[in-house]
Amino acid sequence: MDKLVEFGRKAMFYVRVLSGYEERRIRSFRLQLHKRIQEAEERKAALRKIPEQAILSEVRRMEAAIEDYFKPIDKEAEIMMDMQLKGEEKKMKEMKEMVKVMQEQALVEKAEQEQLAQASGKEATLHNNDKASNS
């Protein structure tokens, strides 16, 4: 009896193979396996990303903490730089005023020298005229 059942099973298998049923079943099984493998790889990739995301979020949190820590120092540095810039601007204004005063003084001295030169030129002309009239 067992031999008859075994023969029946083999015959049914051959019929399924010849009819294409077994081939379709194998393809279907293969597609299911391929689909399962793909899903497993996607899950694996997602699990790999979780530590990366955790690390990135920790890095961002640390950056925010560092920025919060240095905010007062940055403000103080900005205030000091503003003070230095204002001091330099004040010095520049003073230098400009000093240059302006020196230019005005130089113009006054130049005008005085021109007046002296003109006066000495007139005296020389008068002196020459007096010599010419005396001779």
Side-chain angles (χ1 to χ4, degrees), residues 55-86:
I55 291 169
L56 288 174
S57 66
E58 184 69 18
V59 167
R60 288 187 192 112
R61 190 181 66 75
M62 290 299 290
E63 285 178 357
I66 289 169
E67 286 179 14
D68 289 343
Y69 181 79
F70 283 110
K71 271 184 185 177
I73 296 170
D74 289 342
K75 285 181 182 178
E76 289 178 20
E78 188 176 338
I79 290 170
M80 289 175 62
M81 287 183 64
D82 287 341
M83 289 174 56
Q84 286 179 346
L85 286 174
K86 286 178 183 177

Side-chain angles (χ1 to χ4, degrees), residues 104-120:
E104 289 175 1
Q105 187 177 0
L107 287 173
V108 169
E109 289 177 4
K110 186 177 179 183
E112 288 177 0
Q113 287 177 355
E114 287 177 1
Q115 287 176 353
L116 286 174
Q118 287 177 356
S120 64

Side-chain angles (χ1 to χ4, degrees), residues 9 23-24 33 35 42 55 58 60 69 75 83 85 92 97 122 128 134-135:
R9 283 185 185 159
E23 187 177 344
R24 286 190 299 271
L33 282 177
K35 194 174 184 181
E42 288 173 1
I55 291 169
E58 184 69 18
R60 288 187 192 112
Y69 181 79
K75 285 181 182 178
M83 289 174 56
L85 286 174
M92 290 296 290
E97 289 176 13
K122 285 182 183 178
N128 286 341
N134 286 341
S135 18

Side-chain angles (χ1 to χ4, degrees), residues 128-135:
N128 286 341
N129 286 344
D130 285 342
K131 281 188 181 179
S133 51
N134 286 341
S135 18

Side-chain angles (χ1 to χ4, degrees), residues 8 13 15 25 28 31 34 39 53 55 57 67 85 99 103:
F13 178 73
V15 168
R25 195 174 131 220
S28 173
L31 287 173
H34 184 66
E39 289 173 355
Q53 291 171 348
I55 291 169
S57 66
E67 286 179 14
L85 286 174
V99 168
Q103 287 176 343

